[in-house]
Amino acid sequence: MASVSGLGVDGLVSGLDTTSLINSLMTAEAEPQTQLKTQVTNTQTTITALQGLNTQIASLTTLATTSKSSTSLSLFTTTSSSANATATAGTNATAGTFDVVVNQVAQAKVGVSAAMSTWPASGSGSTTPAVTIVKADGTKVDVTPSSNSIDAIVTAINASSTAGVKALKVAAGTDSSGTAQYRIQLQSTTTGAQSDFQIYSGTSSDVDAGTATNILTATGAAVIKPAQDAQVTLYAGTAAEQKISSSTNTFSDLLPGVNLTVNKASTDSITVGVAQDTAGATAVASGLVSALNGVFALISTKSAVVNSTDSSGNKVVSGGPFTGDSTVRGANDALVSAASMPINGHSPSEIGISINKDGTLDFDQDKFQTALASDPAGTQSMLSALASRVADAGTQISDKYSGQLTGVITGQQSMVDTMNDQISQWDIRLAARRTALEAQYSNLEVQLSQLNSQSSSLTSGLASVPAVYTGA
């Protein structure tokens, strides 16, 4: 228990339980602060609920923004009659089939030098080690190694950011004198005919002068794989036969919106099919409806009024954090209207999106797919318009700068901050009040002790006074 000058407050003289008495007085004194704390807790609960709703509506807005694209339903699947070729289709593809023959696949050039113990001197007789790589377009890249050792050559080539070639040191046994021999394997870093290269011992000037040594054409050297483009043939065996090349194994926009990737050459014709992805398109529409219903369910759950009884058996009616919140109600109404109002005189129910009596949405998959099959452009237009309205409504509600819910959350948080400041001020005030009460009751005990002492002195003094004889 708190004390003054080291003396306990509890009534040593008075017999009073001053600790409990002071605590009771402080409880009464702290009632305004207690109410503030309760208000902070309730407001924070509301803020948390509003933040959850705001996040969910923001996610809905993002989804609606994607769904409102004029090509959101233009989804396609592809098939191939052979694993040697696969296809992907974009939103600008057209359903249909085509045949293709894979003549060859793209590959990087791989060459290997003759066995050597050190990098050979250039044809000009220079003893300074030099490497020149000549690309397919004639571009020359000079590489300057630190020495003519195989390791130095490999390191210098691999360190070049413009050579377009990587080198590898490969053991090749020993020569007749027992000296270790190595080959340098060289590979272009890209595929296709344009990745072709030659490598010389000598500078670019030596190459121009014809005095440099071509490492890949020297005796004992070899080109393991030539640089080549991938090539396919359309309409093979007909008068319309057409060969198409690609520096990689992927042919971009071989047909509008269709990319073909090949991985093995074959003389067999491969049939590639492109079909509308009805399931994928349906998922776009149903996903939007599900996201809307998720928002509506959250609002409904946290707006529900609950009837219960307290510990005394009295009926208690309590609302959720959204009960009576006009901003939340307005957000719900805005999203319902955006998803259910007519579009150019047509109801969204025509594409399978309808509103129920409880304010939620229903999605009829069969009806949507029927509408998509019979009028793909009209179905896309209606879904895009609906999604656009939802996205606009969601932005007005949840925009992180100007959204209606964002503003409410900011205001509520400011209120909490203010109340927390007031609670802190009450802490100071109550601490001072407790100190004053403890001092007051401690002084009371001291005064009672003094009075008791005086009383004892008087009693003792009176006891020592002789009795007065009055006679008999």
PDB file of all heavy atoms in Angstrom, residues 304-329:
ATOM      1  N   ALA A 304     -25.724  -6.967 -38.268  1.00  0.00           N
ATOM      2  CA  ALA A 304     -26.793  -7.729 -37.620  1.00  0.00           C
ATOM      3  C   ALA A 304     -26.990  -7.291 -36.168  1.00  0.00           C
ATOM      4  O   ALA A 304     -26.033  -6.971 -35.464  1.00  0.00           O
ATOM      5  CB  ALA A 304     -26.476  -9.218 -37.671  1.00  0.00           C
ATOM      6  N   VAL A 305     -28.242  -7.264 -35.748  1.00  0.00           N
ATOM      7  CA  VAL A 305     -28.609  -6.959 -34.362  1.00  0.00           C
ATOM      8  C   VAL A 305     -28.806  -8.267 -33.625  1.00  0.00           C
ATOM      9  O   VAL A 305     -29.519  -9.159 -34.093  1.00  0.00           O
ATOM     10  CB  VAL A 305     -29.897  -6.110 -34.306  1.00  0.00           C
ATOM     11  CG1 VAL A 305     -30.317  -5.895 -32.864  1.00  0.00           C
ATOM     12  CG2 VAL A 305     -29.683  -4.770 -35.006  1.00  0.00           C
ATOM     13  N   VAL A 306     -28.162  -8.403 -32.460  1.00  0.00           N
ATOM     14  CA  VAL A 306     -28.194  -9.657 -31.707  1.00  0.00           C
ATOM     15  C   VAL A 306     -28.991  -9.462 -30.418  1.00  0.00           C
ATOM     16  O   VAL A 306     -28.761  -8.511 -29.665  1.00  0.00           O
ATOM     17  CB  VAL A 306     -26.763 -10.120 -31.362  1.00  0.00           C
ATOM     18  CG1 VAL A 306     -26.807 -11.405 -30.534  1.00  0.00           C
ATOM     19  CG2 VAL A 306     -25.958 -10.325 -32.636  1.00  0.00           C
ATOM     20  N   ASN A 307     -29.941 -10.366 -30.169  1.00  0.00           N
ATOM     21  CA  ASN A 307     -30.717 -10.358 -28.931  1.00  0.00           C
ATOM     22  C   ASN A 307     -30.109 -11.366 -27.959  1.00  0.00           C
ATOM     23  O   ASN A 307     -29.897 -12.529 -28.303  1.00  0.00           O
ATOM     24  CB  ASN A 307     -32.178 -10.730 -29.199  1.00  0.00           C
ATOM     25  CG  ASN A 307     -32.882  -9.685 -30.050  1.00  0.00           C
ATOM     26  OD1 ASN A 307     -32.779  -8.497 -29.780  1.00  0.00           O
ATOM     27  ND2 ASN A 307     -33.600 -10.133 -31.082  1.00  0.00           N
ATOM     28  N   SER A 308     -29.833 -10.935 -26.738  1.00  0.00           N
ATOM     29  CA  SER A 308     -29.241 -11.818 -25.738  1.00  0.00           C
ATOM     30  C   SER A 308     -29.740 -11.403 -24.361  1.00  0.00           C
ATOM     31  O   SER A 308     -30.586 -10.511 -24.233  1.00  0.00           O
ATOM     32  CB  SER A 308     -27.719 -11.753 -25.812  1.00  0.00           C
ATOM     33  OG  SER A 308     -27.262 -10.427 -25.570  1.00  0.00           O
ATOM     34  N   THR A 309     -29.235 -12.059 -23.330  1.00  0.00           N
ATOM     35  CA  THR A 309     -29.590 -11.712 -21.948  1.00  0.00           C
ATOM     36  C   THR A 309     -28.312 -11.505 -21.156  1.00  0.00           C
ATOM     37  O   THR A 309     -27.288 -12.146 -21.422  1.00  0.00           O
ATOM     38  CB  THR A 309     -30.431 -12.820 -21.292  1.00  0.00           C
ATOM     39  OG1 THR A 309     -29.706 -14.060 -21.373  1.00  0.00           O
ATOM     40  CG2 THR A 309     -31.768 -12.965 -21.980  1.00  0.00           C
ATOM     41  N   ASP A 310     -28.382 -10.597 -20.175  1.00  0.00           N
ATOM     42  CA  ASP A 310     -27.205 -10.355 -19.346  1.00  0.00           C
ATOM     43  C   ASP A 310     -27.198 -11.330 -18.162  1.00  0.00           C
ATOM     44  O   ASP A 310     -28.039 -12.235 -18.068  1.00  0.00           O
ATOM     45  CB  ASP A 310     -27.159  -8.905 -18.868  1.00  0.00           C
ATOM     46  CG  ASP A 310     -28.384  -8.511 -18.051  1.00  0.00           C
ATOM     47  OD1 ASP A 310     -29.082  -9.427 -17.556  1.00  0.00           O
ATOM     48  OD2 ASP A 310     -28.644  -7.304 -17.913  1.00  0.00           O
ATOM     49  N   SER A 311     -26.252 -11.158 -17.244  1.00  0.00           N
ATOM     50  CA  SER A 311     -26.103 -12.080 -16.113  1.00  0.00           C
ATOM     51  C   SER A 311     -27.309 -12.068 -15.183  1.00  0.00           C
ATOM     52  O   SER A 311     -27.528 -13.004 -14.418  1.00  0.00           O
ATOM     53  CB  SER A 311     -24.838 -11.718 -15.320  1.00  0.00           C
ATOM     54  OG  SER A 311     -24.897 -10.375 -14.861  1.00  0.00           O
ATOM     55  N   SER A 312     -28.098 -10.989 -15.267  1.00  0.00           N
ATOM     56  CA  SER A 312     -29.281 -10.888 -14.401  1.00  0.00           C
ATOM     57  C   SER A 312     -30.533 -11.403 -15.105  1.00  0.00           C
ATOM     58  O   SER A 312     -31.637 -11.342 -14.558  1.00  0.00           O
ATOM     59  CB  SER A 312     -29.494  -9.428 -13.980  1.00  0.00           C
ATOM     60  OG  SER A 312     -28.372  -8.936 -13.285  1.00  0.00           O
ATOM     61  N   GLY A 313     -30.366 -11.885 -16.327  1.00  0.00           N
ATOM     62  CA  GLY A 313     -31.521 -12.402 -17.061  1.00  0.00           C
ATOM     63  C   GLY A 313     -32.265 -11.347 -17.838  1.00  0.00           C
ATOM     64  O   GLY A 313     -33.312 -11.634 -18.434  1.00  0.00           O
ATOM     65  N   ASN A 314     -31.739 -10.118 -17.857  1.00  0.00           N
ATOM     66  CA  ASN A 314     -32.394  -9.053 -18.614  1.00  0.00           C
ATOM     67  C   ASN A 314     -32.048  -9.156 -20.098  1.00  0.00           C
ATOM     68  O   ASN A 314     -30.924  -9.509 -20.465  1.00  0.00           O
ATOM     69  CB  ASN A 314     -31.952  -7.679 -18.088  1.00  0.00           C
ATOM     70  CG  ASN A 314     -32.320  -7.482 -16.636  1.00  0.00           C
ATOM     71  OD1 ASN A 314     -33.435  -7.806 -16.209  1.00  0.00           O
ATOM     72  ND2 ASN A 314     -31.370  -6.963 -15.853  1.00  0.00           N
ATOM     73  N   LYS A 315     -33.037  -8.844 -20.926  1.00  0.00           N
ATOM     74  CA  LYS A 315     -32.812  -8.889 -22.369  1.00  0.00           C
ATOM     75  C   LYS A 315     -31.903  -7.740 -22.804  1.00  0.00           C
ATOM     76  O   LYS A 315     -32.070  -6.612 -22.364  1.00  0.00           O
ATOM     77  CB  LYS A 315     -34.144  -8.811 -23.117  1.00  0.00           C
ATOM     78  CG  LYS A 315     -35.026 -10.044 -22.927  1.00  0.00           C
ATOM     79  CD  LYS A 315     -36.284  -9.958 -23.768  1.00  0.00           C
ATOM     80  CE  LYS A 315     -37.130 -11.222 -23.612  1.00  0.00           C
ATOM     81  NZ  LYS A 315     -38.367 -11.153 -24.435  1.00  0.00           N
ATOM     82  N   VAL A 316     -30.952  -8.093 -23.646  1.00  0.00           N
ATOM     83  CA  VAL A 316     -29.997  -7.100 -24.156  1.00  0.00           C
ATOM     84  C   VAL A 316     -29.998  -7.159 -25.678  1.00  0.00           C
ATOM     85  O   VAL A 316     -29.894  -8.232 -26.270  1.00  0.00           O
ATOM     86  CB  VAL A 316     -28.569  -7.368 -23.629  1.00  0.00           C
ATOM     87  CG1 VAL A 316     -27.579  -6.364 -24.221  1.00  0.00           C
ATOM     88  CG2 VAL A 316     -28.542  -7.312 -22.113  1.00  0.00           C
ATOM     89  N   VAL A 317     -30.145  -6.017 -26.298  1.00  0.00           N
ATOM     90  CA  VAL A 317     -30.097  -5.917 -27.757  1.00  0.00           C
ATOM     91  C   VAL A 317     -28.820  -5.173 -28.131  1.00  0.00           C
ATOM     92  O   VAL A 317     -28.603  -4.047 -27.695  1.00  0.00           O
ATOM     93  CB  VAL A 317     -31.326  -5.163 -28.315  1.00  0.00           C
ATOM     94  CG1 VAL A 317     -31.224  -5.049 -29.835  1.00  0.00           C
ATOM     95  CG2 VAL A 317     -32.610  -5.873 -27.913  1.00  0.00           C
ATOM     96  N   SER A 318     -27.965  -5.824 -28.918  1.00  0.00           N
ATOM     97  CA  SER A 318     -26.694  -5.205 -29.297  1.00  0.00           C
ATOM     98  C   SER A 318     -26.496  -5.284 -30.805  1.00  0.00           C
ATOM     99  O   SER A 318     -26.843  -6.284 -31.435  1.00  0.00           O
ATOM    100  CB  SER A 318     -25.529  -5.891 -28.584  1.00  0.00           C
ATOM    101  OG  SER A 318     -25.524  -7.280 -28.860  1.00  0.00           O
ATOM    102  N   GLY A 319     -25.971  -4.209 -31.368  1.00  0.00           N
ATOM    103  CA  GLY A 319     -25.732  -4.156 -32.802  1.00  0.00           C
ATOM    104  C   GLY A 319     -24.283  -4.425 -33.134  1.00  0.00           C
ATOM    105  O   GLY A 319     -23.404  -4.407 -32.269  1.00  0.00           O
ATOM    106  N   GLY A 320     -24.011  -4.685 -34.407  1.00  0.00           N
ATOM    107  CA  GLY A 320     -22.647  -4.890 -34.860  1.00  0.00           C
ATOM    108  C   GLY A 320     -21.971  -3.569 -35.145  1.00  0.00           C
ATOM    109  O   GLY A 320     -22.586  -2.496 -35.046  1.00  0.00           O
ATOM    110  N   PRO A 321     -20.705  -3.595 -35.524  1.00  0.00           N
ATOM    111  CA  PRO A 321     -19.971  -2.349 -35.779  1.00  0.00           C
ATOM    112  C   PRO A 321     -20.528  -1.533 -36.942  1.00  0.00           C
ATOM    113  O   PRO A 321     -20.269  -0.331 -37.027  1.00  0.00           O
ATOM    114  CB  PRO A 321     -18.544  -2.837 -36.066  1.00  0.00           C
ATOM    115  CG  PRO A 321     -18.690  -4.287 -36.436  1.00  0.00           C
ATOM    116  CD  PRO A 321     -19.853  -4.777 -35.666  1.00  0.00           C
ATOM    117  N   PHE A 322     -21.291  -2.173 -37.834  1.00  0.00           N
ATOM    118  CA  PHE A 322     -21.856  -1.442 -38.970  1.00  0.00           C
ATOM    119  C   PHE A 322     -23.319  -1.057 -38.764  1.00  0.00           C
ATOM    120  O   PHE A 322     -23.912  -0.396 -39.625  1.00  0.00           O
ATOM    121  CB  PHE A 322     -21.747  -2.265 -40.256  1.00  0.00           C
ATOM    122  CG  PHE A 322     -20.351  -2.556 -40.704  1.00  0.00           C
ATOM    123  CD1 PHE A 322     -20.089  -3.602 -41.593  1.00  0.00           C
ATOM    124  CD2 PHE A 322     -19.286  -1.788 -40.250  1.00  0.00           C
ATOM    125  CE1 PHE A 322     -18.793  -3.867 -42.011  1.00  0.00           C
ATOM    126  CE2 PHE A 322     -17.991  -2.049 -40.663  1.00  0.00           C
ATOM    127  CZ  PHE A 322     -17.743  -3.091 -41.542  1.00  0.00           C
ATOM    128  N   THR A 323     -23.907  -1.477 -37.649  1.00  0.00           N
ATOM    129  CA  THR A 323     -25.315  -1.195 -37.419  1.00  0.00           C
ATOM    130  C   THR A 323     -25.564   0.314 -37.388  1.00  0.00           C
ATOM    131  O   THR A 323     -24.949   1.040 -36.606  1.00  0.00           O
ATOM    132  CB  THR A 323     -25.788  -1.809 -36.084  1.00  0.00           C
ATOM    133  OG1 THR A 323     -25.537  -3.219 -36.100  1.00  0.00           O
ATOM    134  CG2 THR A 323     -27.272  -1.567 -35.876  1.00  0.00           C
ATOM    135  N   GLY A 324     -26.452   0.765 -38.246  1.00  0.00           N
ATOM    136  CA  GLY A 324     -26.798   2.182 -38.282  1.00  0.00           C
ATOM    137  C   GLY A 324     -25.760   3.062 -38.946  1.00  0.00           C
ATOM    138  O   GLY A 324     -25.910   4.297 -38.946  1.00  0.00           O
ATOM    139  N   ASP A 325     -24.728   2.496 -39.536  1.00  0.00           N
ATOM    140  CA  ASP A 325     -23.678   3.292 -40.181  1.00  0.00           C
ATOM    141  C   ASP A 325     -24.142   3.687 -41.583  1.00  0.00           C
ATOM    142  O   ASP A 325     -24.250   2.848 -42.474  1.00  0.00           O
ATOM    143  CB  ASP A 325     -22.373   2.490 -40.259  1.00  0.00           C
ATOM    144  CG  ASP A 325     -21.184   3.349 -40.662  1.00  0.00           C
ATOM    145  OD1 ASP A 325     -21.313   4.104 -41.644  1.00  0.00           O
ATOM    146  OD2 ASP A 325     -20.131   3.268 -40.005  1.00  0.00           O
ATOM    147  N   SER A 326     -24.410   4.962 -41.782  1.00  0.00           N
ATOM    148  CA  SER A 326     -24.946   5.428 -43.056  1.00  0.00           C
ATOM    149  C   SER A 326     -23.945   5.296 -44.191  1.00  0.00           C
ATOM    150  O   SER A 326     -24.327   5.050 -45.347  1.00  0.00           O
ATOM    151  CB  SER A 326     -25.394   6.881 -42.928  1.00  0.00           C
ATOM    152  OG  SER A 326     -24.303   7.719 -42.561  1.00  0.00           O
ATOM    153  N   THR A 327     -22.649   5.432 -43.893  1.00  0.00           N
ATOM    154  CA  THR A 327     -21.637   5.306 -44.945  1.00  0.00           C
ATOM    155  C   THR A 327     -21.573   3.885 -45.466  1.00  0.00           C
ATOM    156  O   THR A 327     -21.507   3.643 -46.679  1.00  0.00           O
ATOM    157  CB  THR A 327     -20.253   5.729 -44.412  1.00  0.00           C
ATOM    158  OG1 THR A 327     -20.318   7.068 -43.927  1.00  0.00           O
ATOM    159  CG2 THR A 327     -19.207   5.649 -45.521  1.00  0.00           C
ATOM    160  N   VAL A 328     -21.613   2.921 -44.562  1.00  0.00           N
ATOM    161  CA  VAL A 328     -21.590   1.516 -44.969  1.00  0.00           C
ATOM    162  C   VAL A 328     -22.860   1.179 -45.738  1.00  0.00           C
ATOM    163  O   VAL A 328     -22.812   0.495 -46.774  1.00  0.00           O
ATOM    164  CB  VAL A 328     -21.434   0.600 -43.741  1.00  0.00           C
ATOM    165  CG1 VAL A 328     -21.598  -0.868 -44.149  1.00  0.00           C
ATOM    166  CG2 VAL A 328     -20.083   0.821 -43.080  1.00  0.00           C
ATOM    167  N   ARG A 329     -23.985   1.665 -45.245  1.00  0.00           N
ATOM    168  CA  ARG A 329     -25.250   1.400 -45.947  1.00  0.00           C
ATOM    169  C   ARG A 329     -25.218   2.004 -47.349  1.00  0.00           C
ATOM    170  O   ARG A 329     -25.667   1.385 -48.334  1.00  0.00           O
ATOM    171  CB  ARG A 329     -26.415   1.966 -45.141  1.00  0.00           C
ATOM    172  CG  ARG A 329     -27.789   1.634 -45.739  1.00  0.00           C
ATOM    173  CD  ARG A 329     -28.924   2.016 -44.799  1.00  0.00           C
ATOM    174  NE  ARG A 329     -28.921   3.442 -44.452  1.00  0.00           N
ATOM    175  CZ  ARG A 329     -28.584   3.922 -43.278  1.00  0.00           C
ATOM    176  NH1 ARG A 329     -28.218   3.096 -42.296  1.00  0.00           N
ATOM    177  NH2 ARG A 329     -28.608   5.226 -43.031  1.00  0.00           N
TER     178      ARG A 329
END
